[in-house]
Amino acid sequence: MLETRDLHKSYEAGEARVDALRGITLKILPGEIVSITGPSGCGKSTLLHILGALDTPTSGQAYLEGHPLHSLSDDKLTALRRLKIGFVFQFFHLLPTLTVEENILLPLLLSGRVNSPARTRARELLATVGLSDRSHHRPHQLSGGQLQRAALARALIHQPSILLADEPTGNLDSTSSSMVIDLITRLARQEKTTVVLVTHSEEIARTADRRIALVDGRIQS
Amino acid sequence: MNWFPTLRVFLSHGGRDFFRHKTLSLLNLLALTVGVAAIVAIQTVNETALRSFRASLDLVAGRPDFTIEGQGFRLPEKLILLLRNDPAVREVTPTIQLVASLPDHPGEFLHLVGVDPFSNQELVTYHLEDALRSPTDAIAFVSESDTIALTRPLADRLHLRPGDTLRAVSAGHQANLRVRFMLEPSSDLLGADDHLAIADIATVQSSFGLGGQIDRIEALLRPDASGKITAVRSSLLERLAPNLPAHARAGSPERRGQEVEKMLGAFQLNLTALSLIALVVGMFLVTNTVAANVARRRAELGLLRSLGLDRRSVIILIVGESLLLALLGAGLGIFLGLQVARILLQSVSSTVTSHYVLLSMKDIIVNPWSLLGAGLAGLLAAGLAAWWPAREASLVSPMDALQPGNSADRASSPQSPFLRASLLCLFFTLLFSATALYARIPRTGFLAALGILLAAAFLAPVFGRLLGGLPSPPIASGKLAHSAFLRGLHRHGLAAAALSVAVAMAIGVTIMVHSFRATVDQWIGESIKADLFIAPSTNLIAGALEPLDPQAETLALATPGVRAVGTYREIRLFLNGTPAKLAACRLEILRAYNPLTFLSTLPGDPYELCQKGDFAIISENFARRRQIKPGDTVFLPTPTGTHPLQVAAIFRDYTSESGLLLLDRSTYRRLTQDQGLTSLAIHLEPGISPKTVGDSLREQLRPRGEFLVYSQAGLRDEALRIFDRSFAVTALLRTLAIAVAALGVTLSLTALGVERTREIGILRATGASRNQILRTIMIEAAYLGATGISIGLVTGFAVALILMQVINRAFFGWTIDWHTPYPSLLGIILGMMIACLLASLPPAWRASRLSPAEALRSE
Ligand SMILES: Nc1ncnc2c1ncn2[C@@H]1O[C@H](COP(=O)(O)OP(=O)(O)O)[C@@H](O)[C@H]1O
Ligand SMILES: [Mg+2]
């Protein structure tokens, strides 16, 4: 499903050079829920971005369902994101111009697949995440927990094969956190979606099938 | 509070911010630079024109205390004695000027000035160098009756060496002049060019049949006991008055300078108004960037606020930062403006020459005060522009500012204040139109134009929202662009406003110029009926009003195929201190071959009245500007005294900005004793080819000097060519305004691009391709363009109306028939839209190339 071999990523910032990833080799099976933990700055987001075809490694290989993420063109990477990947971020990242429903339909809008079955699915997802009565609201009218649930619905609307969540509860209170994590695990199991979940919380990490600990750009064994 | 340390923190952040968002900062700088440059360029060109113009009146005599000159006609020589014998006068020197053509050097001419080298020592502005002997033999200059001094460049160009003779022609008099002296104009001699030539006054008089005549007298006065000359001058004026001819104007050179300014006044006003519009457009852009800056640095401001910075200091900091940038922009603008002025100089110089007087401008004249003024205007604009967003920023509560997401996400700006402001501006437009037309304060006409432009600007955000009410294009990027545009209105509103101002101005000016041109063209078609026209070549080349060789009329009358010859004499003078054109022609020829269209007349036949008695016909603009109607009296100062002339009729004429007073030739000659002609209009027998007669006339005239022989079509083309050249600067400014407005589009989208970096990251993460991002931003630009252009189009018609019906009427009094230039308007609209899309390309490209991961990390 997801596989990396000796993944390296370094940033050049003028003179300074930051090695964010220093040789990550991992394998994630279909349907698995994997958590990634580690101190701030250890490279979790960087790894997630590469796995999510948002960024490319400096060296090493990454494969998503056999597609070589490290060598594809921007257009191919875009296509993969459209079809196979869903993202949830720490700061929700809904588009402020669009309503909740439009935000959820965004991945389909971008790939020209908004039709009535899609709308039905959007309504179902909204109901599942408990936002049916909020579908025509703007993001700024929602609370953090609601925003993150909407973001989750957006990440799943196009039935991706993998869901990548970068500290999805980092900005939430504990009640909202557990609600969001419950939803992620429930929906992922239901739709057989592979999940990679970056978190700081021990409790959340424990709910995963497997746990990968990063330290300083390496996997701690 | 002691905000100096805070200021330092903020400014160092600002400095870093500047370099982090280079494009944005540079665009901002550019907007200011262009605004200031436009003002500097125009001010400098104005200044140069004016100073050169004034200087050209004092061509070879420096700064006299007192001058006497003839208006329209020359002065009698005996006035010199009158002045010389006055105890208050210390030194007196006369000059005479003419423009002579050089038959052996087609296309060249001499601007010949006759001087008295013995009496002008203290006023002299040039240096003579004897090419035959050293030291210079000044006696030879006077004693040899055919000696002249040329500038070295002209002598070189004509391959003339000391001792050679040069054939010069003026008003039918030919003279063989001997080149002996070289003329070295002193460095502060403005308004002269290579064509300047100097000879002893007696040489000029005897060579060209001007015995006993002079053009001007310059005098130096003895100061009174207190060392002042003002009182001395006025008492001298009183003593002289009874003995001066009616057409003589005496007084201080400054007073004459002011009159001269009046001649160029309308021309200058036109340019100044346009440069102000460039500044207004620039101001919108600055507001836009400062607002973008503030929005981007909300968190920083919130932090400073929470650390104890008070509201007033926030305003001071933001305005101060903008002023700092403006300082740089003003400096660059001044530099750029001076370069542009150099480029414009040629076009302005030839415009002034063809409309007013021979004007030569070698290099720009820089007035440090006007540079300072333009710089301050730029700073003021930047300060004012920054004030509004600064105030808004100061109202942000510290808590609010520290929350992610920007204020515009939450609040949608109210519409009604904009609508109200727009209506208010409209009200002022009407008010100022009324004061310009009825209270006779012409300058308020420009305020009316400014009012309508501002009304359009305020309407931009409102109209943008209306446009946003329409369904969005049915593609993903269309939908995204639509919602982004609506939310970006807080920023786009300003860009759209700037755009609408620029478009309105471009369209208004285009309609006005086109209508004016079409009106003039039609008028030429109706009023120019003669088949051939003859004029001295100098009048075209040098903008002079030299008399034609009287032989030309005789020759024309004797040429087979010629049925009638109309004559035309033209004089420029001041009537009641305002410039005017006096013309005389054979009204019986006009009546028979080329009847005038009268707008109103006295009872009876105006032609007959004018041929029999002291009557005149005036042009429409003469009547409007001076509020004169048939039956009123106009006083004409001439060498034989001031003569009252009764206005017999008003007719339409477009040949003079200042207005035309037309007399029958017999009346003119009787009253002025001037036998000269300026041009001939030749009517041919039916079936005779103008070309054949024209060629034959050219052949016959060739030995007598250089003449221009125009066909009817040729004259029309020439007139329209002069017309087009007069509006060349206008066209340039129009282009400038459009360029500045397009810059605004880039600026707005770049600013929004920076603000929305993270949103672009989200879009990329959710599956947007690079092309979709590119398309989204370009469609957003199209929305922006459509808003600005729609308002601009409608407002443009209103601007045209104000230009033609208010400003033109108040200043010039022409009648301009409305002609809509549909193809040009379509061109402006399409051009503007393309400019918007092109302007959006850099920010769109930049956004589409952002790395999604980087974009997501941005704050
Ligand atoms: N664009 C960048 N330029 C330079 N360094 C970066 C950039 N992005 C991330 N880094 C650095 O890479 C390292 C890993 O960052 P990140 O993956 O965001 O860590 P985490 O998500 O685990 O907190 C950090 O030291 C961070 O400072
Ligand atoms: Mg992270």
Side-chain angles (χ1 to χ4, degrees):
Chain A
M1 171 73 218
L2 255 181
E3 196 175 347
T4 71
R5 285 181 213 139
D6 196 23
L7 214 51
H8 283 261
K9 176 75 181 179
S10 35
Y11 297 102
E12 311 273 347
E15 298 285 282
R17 186 185 138 107
V18 180
D19 293 313
L21 298 179
R22 319 173 176 218
I24 302 280
T25 302
L26 57 73
K27 205 167 194 172
I28 294 168
L29 301 173
E32 218 180 348
I33 299 184
V34 175
S35 72
I36 297 181
T37 56
S40 182
C42 70
K44 305 181 296 291
S45 296
T46 306
L47 177 60
L48 213 64
H49 287 159
I50 295 174
L51 295 179
L54 283 174
D55 209 349
T56 46
T58 313
S59 71
Q61 294 99 47
Y63 295 92
L64 170 63
E65 294 183 342
H67 299 283
L69 300 178
H70 51 276
S71 63
L72 290 179
S73 69
D74 188 85
D75 285 341
K76 293 261 163 56
L77 291 177
T78 301
L80 280 179
R81 286 200 297 274
R82 279 184 181 176
L83 293 174
K84 301 197 180 301
I85 302 166
F87 275 105
V88 180
F89 302 99
Q90 179 178 356
F91 292 108
F92 327 128
H93 287 353
L94 294 187
L95 284 190
T97 43
L98 305 179
T99 63
V100 170
E101 186 178 356
E102 286 167 339
N103 260 294
I104 290 175
L105 281 167
L106 187 60
L108 298 180
L109 178 71
L110 288 169
S111 48
R113 290 184 289 164
V114 178
N115 47 25
S116 57
R119 288 181 198 283
T120 314
R121 176 165 165 78
R123 270 195 295 277
E124 285 168 9
L125 268 174
L126 269 170
T128 314
V129 300
L131 290 177
S132 294
D133 54 339
R134 299 286 172 152
S135 60
H136 295 295
H137 286 210
R138 289 297 183 88
H140 67 264
Q141 296 165 311
L142 266 56
S143 72
Q146 290 169 327
L147 286 173
Q148 198 59 303
R149 281 181 273 143
L152 180 62
R154 180 182 66 190
L156 294 174
I157 183 81
H158 54 306
Q159 294 170 300
S161 44
I162 180 163
L163 173 69
L164 302 168
D166 193 350
E167 299 187 37
T169 59
N171 255 25
L172 298 180
D173 59 77
S174 58
T175 326
S176 304
S177 292
S178 46
M179 201 163 163
V180 165
I181 294 299
D182 280 353
L183 273 171
I184 290 179
T185 39
R186 187 151 57 84
L187 286 170
R189 303 245 190 258
Q190 192 179 315
E191 310 213 350
K192 302 201 173 23
T193 314
T194 312
V195 177
V196 180
L197 179 72
V198 170
T199 183
H200 275 303
S201 153
E202 274 303 312
E203 197 187 328
I204 294 172
R206 254 182 271 126
T207 62
D209 299 338
R210 183 151 65 93
R211 175 174 178 173
I212 296 172
L214 280 193
V215 172
D216 217 5
R218 291 199 183 86
I219 295 179
Q220 198 182 32
S221 45
Chain B
M1 82 170 270
N2 175 14
W3 46 266
F4 184 68
T6 339
L7 181 74
R8 255 186 30 202
V9 172
F10 193 79
L11 285 185
S12 73
H13 273 251
R16 236 168 282 161
D17 197 72
F18 184 99
F19 289 106
R20 199 148 56 107
H21 302 289
K22 273 190 220 80
T23 335
L24 198 54
S25 316
L26 286 179
L27 283 175
N28 193 13
L29 196 61
L30 199 61
L32 266 170
T33 305
V34 170
V36 172
I39 300 184
V40 167
I42 285 163
Q43 290 288 340
T44 305
V45 167
N46 269 347
E47 185 82 20
T48 307
L50 199 62
R51 292 265 289 270
S52 311
F53 188 24
R54 267 190 227 160
S56 68
L57 303 173
D58 284 320
L59 210 47
V60 292
R63 302 193 180 292
D65 299 326
F66 188 83
T67 64
I68 306 180
E69 71 182 327
Q71 284 298 319
F73 313 96
R74 292 202 161 91
L75 294 171
E77 214 172 33
K78 62 175 199 291
L79 281 179
I80 305 171
L81 231 66
L82 191 69
L83 211 57
R84 191 165 280 157
N85 292 337
D86 193 286
V89 176
R90 185 155 61 84
E91 191 70 86
V92 180
T93 188
T95 55
I96 187 166
Q97 303 191 14
L98 56 84
V99 177
S101 66
L102 306 172
D104 303 322
H105 304 277
E108 293 283 3
F109 62 93
L110 285 188
H111 191 175
L112 183 59
V113 184
V115 300
D116 175 7
F118 294 112
S119 62
N120 73 358
Q121 301 293 337
E122 286 187 66
L123 289 162
V124 80
T125 56
Y126 55 88
H127 171 74
L128 285 185
E129 188 188 309
D130 196 336
L132 295 182
R133 198 183 318 161
S134 173
T136 296
D137 180 3
I139 303 291
F141 188 71
V142 181
S143 60
E144 296 172 5
S145 69
D146 56 354
T147 300
I148 57 164
L150 294 186
T151 61
R152 208 171 284 282
L154 184 71
D156 289 347
R157 205 160 62 230
L158 305 183
H159 304 291
L160 289 172
R161 290 152 41 91
D164 287 354
T165 54
L166 177 62
R167 195 152 66 99
V169 177
S170 166
H173 295 272
Q174 292 216 16
N176 287 311
L177 301 171
R178 213 156 59 82
V179 182
R180 166 149 183 193
F181 293 85
M182 286 300 146
L183 179 62
E184 196 63 57
S186 61
S187 57
D188 62 340
L189 177 59
L190 307 166
D193 69 1
D194 304 346
H195 296 101
L196 182 64
I198 287 177
D200 178 48
I201 193 159
T203 306
V204 177
Q205 287 170 332
S206 64
S207 302
F208 298 101
L210 299 169
Q213 301 182 47
I214 53 175
D215 278 316
R216 291 154 51 90
I217 304 175
E218 329 260 4
L220 292 172
L221 306 182
R222 287 182 220 283
D224 59 15
S226 62
K228 299 233 165 64
I229 54 164
T230 322
V232 178
R233 184 158 52 214
S234 37
S235 65
L236 171 65
L237 205 52
E238 259 168 53
R239 282 197 296 282
L240 287 178
N243 298 316
L244 288 180
H247 72 294
R249 299 178 67 79
S252 72
E254 291 79 37
R255 201 195 67 164
R256 203 186 51 207
Q258 286 159 9
E259 282 181 355
V260 158
E261 274 175 51
K262 269 192 204 162
M263 278 178 77
L264 292 186
F267 169 74
Q268 293 197 303
L269 210 57
N270 187 11
L271 291 183
T272 309
L274 286 167
S275 74
L276 283 179
I277 287 174
L279 188 72
V280 169
V281 172
M283 214 168 125
F284 278 110
L285 300 191
V286 175
T287 312
N288 204 350
T289 344
V290 175
N293 242 316
V294 168
R296 210 173 53 238
R297 298 169 69 192
R298 270 172 63 85
E300 191 184 331
L301 283 171
L303 188 68
L304 289 174
R305 291 275 284 125
S306 68
L307 293 179
L309 192 71
D310 64 304
R311 297 208 152 137
R312 209 171 50 115
S313 305
V314 169
I315 297 186
I316 293 174
L317 285 178
I318 294 176
V319 172
E321 201 184 74
S322 156
L323 286 180
L324 221 59
L325 189 68
L327 210 58
L328 188 61
L332 287 174
I334 288 174
F335 174 78
L336 187 70
L338 292 178
Q339 307 310 312
V340 174
R342 280 208 178 89
I343 298 169
L344 288 183
L345 210 56
Q346 205 42 52
S347 142
V348 169
S349 152
S350 46
T351 302
V352 174
T353 297
S354 49
H355 282 283
Y356 308 98
V357 283
L358 171 60
L359 183 63
S360 151
M361 301 194 278
K362 274 184 295 222
D363 195 7
I364 52 172
I365 298 167
V366 179
N367 179 347
W369 290 110
S370 61
L371 294 192
L372 193 71
L376 285 179
L379 285 181
L380 194 72
L384 277 179
W387 190 80
W388 174 253
R391 208 187 66 103
E392 218 169 349
S394 76
L395 293 178
V396 168
S397 77
M399 267 308 297
D400 210 21
L402 289 174
Q403 269 171 12
N406 57 42
S407 59
D409 299 350
R410 267 162 263 147
S412 79
S413 50
Q415 304 285 291
S416 50
F418 288 112
L419 213 56
R420 250 178 284 145
S422 183
L423 287 176
L424 193 69
C425 290
L426 211 59
F427 167 75
F428 276 115
T429 302
L430 295 177
L431 183 73
F432 286 130
S433 300
T435 54
L437 286 179
Y438 304 111
R440 303 215 147 250
I441 317 170
R443 274 162 199 259
T444 56
F446 285 104
L447 290 178
L450 193 67
I452 193 80
L453 289 175
L454 286 178
F458 281 119
L459 218 52
V462 182
F463 188 81
R465 198 155 294 266
L466 277 181
L467 201 67
L470 298 177
S472 64
I475 49 170
S477 38
K479 288 211 170 84
L480 289 171
H482 176 256
S483 60
F485 171 70
L486 273 180
R487 194 176 57 107
L489 266 181
H490 64 289
R491 195 106 321 136
H492 287 332
L494 281 163
L499 205 58
S500 61
V501 168
V503 171
M505 195 201 89
I507 287 186
V509 167
T510 304
I511 296 178
M512 189 271 284
V513 172
H514 177 85
S515 299
F516 200 3
R517 195 180 194 278
T519 307
V520 168
D521 194 7
Q522 196 181 350
W523 172 81
I524 292 173
E526 285 162 7
S527 60
I528 297 188
K529 292 283 196 289
D531 301 296
L532 289 168
F533 300 85
I534 301 180
S537 67
T538 44
N539 293 2
L540 179 81
I541 306 169
L545 277 178
E546 287 297 321
L548 184 71
D549 185 345
Q551 260 330 99
E553 188 185 359
T554 324
L555 273 173
L557 280 168
T559 304
V562 171
R563 191 171 174 200
V565 176
T567 65
Y568 188 73
R569 174 62 168 150
E570 183 184 330
I571 299 283
R572 285 174 200 150
L573 40 62
F574 284 82
L575 291 177
N576 295 330
T578 319
K581 186 162 117 177
L582 171 64
C585 59
R586 292 175 66 192
L587 286 178
E588 82 265 19
I589 303 281
L590 218 53
R591 174 191 214 168
Y593 297 95
N594 198 356
L596 302 172
T597 320
F598 294 116
L599 299 172
S600 63
T601 63
L602 282 181
D605 179 28
Y607 294 105
E608 263 171 34
L609 287 174
C610 288
Q611 280 165 266
K612 293 209 179 97
D614 289 358
F615 285 89
I617 298 173
I618 60 174
S619 70
E620 184 187 27
N621 56 343
F622 189 99
R624 279 206 188 124
R625 293 175 65 155
R626 294 166 196 261
Q627 291 177 279
I628 292 176
K629 55 185 191 309
D632 290 351
T633 306
V634 176
F635 291 92
L636 180 68
T638 73
T640 63
T642 298
H643 303 281
L645 291 166
Q646 207 184 351
V647 173
I650 298 175
F651 78 117
R652 190 159 289 174
D653 173 85
Y654 292 93
T655 62
S656 167
E657 176 190 308
S658 46
L660 174 67
L661 183 69
L662 182 66
L663 305 182
D664 184 57
R665 183 166 85 170
S666 59
T667 315
Y668 174 82
R669 288 189 167 171
R670 177 164 49 80
L671 298 181
T672 66
Q673 303 295 314
D674 172 27
Q675 306 296 312
L677 295 177
T678 312
S679 60
L680 300 180
I682 299 172
H683 301 270
L684 300 178
E685 300 284 358
I688 301 290
S689 143
K691 189 176 176 323
T692 320
V693 179
D695 288 345
S696 137
L697 278 171
R698 252 183 227 112
E699 203 49 51
Q700 294 178 69
L701 286 169
R702 180 156 301 135
R704 308 198 54 87
E706 213 187 343
F707 296 86
L708 293 172
V709 180
Y710 285 118
S711 65
Q712 201 181 76
L715 188 69
R716 173 183 169 274
D717 291 348
E718 180 56 26
L720 291 178
R721 194 178 66 82
I722 290 175
F723 181 93
D724 292 339
R725 199 170 55 191
S726 315
F727 285 100
V729 179
T730 315
L732 192 109
L733 285 165
R734 184 175 60 192
T735 316
L736 194 78
I738 287 185
V740 171
L743 200 65
V745 175
T746 313
L747 200 63
S748 192
L749 289 167
T750 308
L752 279 173
V754 171
E755 273 173 46
R756 292 182 188 156
T757 303
R758 200 167 50 180
E759 286 170 34
I760 289 160
I762 304 169
L763 282 171
R764 295 302 312 272
T766 25
S769 66
R770 284 181 171 171
N771 279 336
Q772 276 174 322
I773 301 286
L774 190 81
R775 240 178 284 141
T776 302
I777 294 178
M778 289 186 74
I779 294 174
E780 195 174 343
Y783 267 107
L784 177 56
T787 306
I789 293 169
S790 313
I791 302 175
L793 181 62
V794 177
T795 315
F797 279 81
V799 171
L801 198 67
I802 289 174
L803 286 174
M804 286 190 236
Q805 296 302 333
V806 179
I807 294 180
N808 156 58
R809 264 181 196 260
F811 278 100
F812 307 105
W814 308 112
T815 292
I816 305 177
D817 305 324
W818 188 288
H819 294 263
T820 313
Y822 292 104
S824 311
L825 296 193
L826 195 66
I828 291 177
I829 292 170
L830 290 180
M832 202 69 235
M833 200 58 180
I834 292 170
C836 282
L837 293 178
L838 286 180
S840 75
L841 262 181
W845 179 258
R846 188 188 151 273
S848 75
R849 297 287 123 173
L850 281 177
S851 138
E854 297 283 323
L856 279 169
R857 278 180 198 273
S858 85
E859 278 152 45

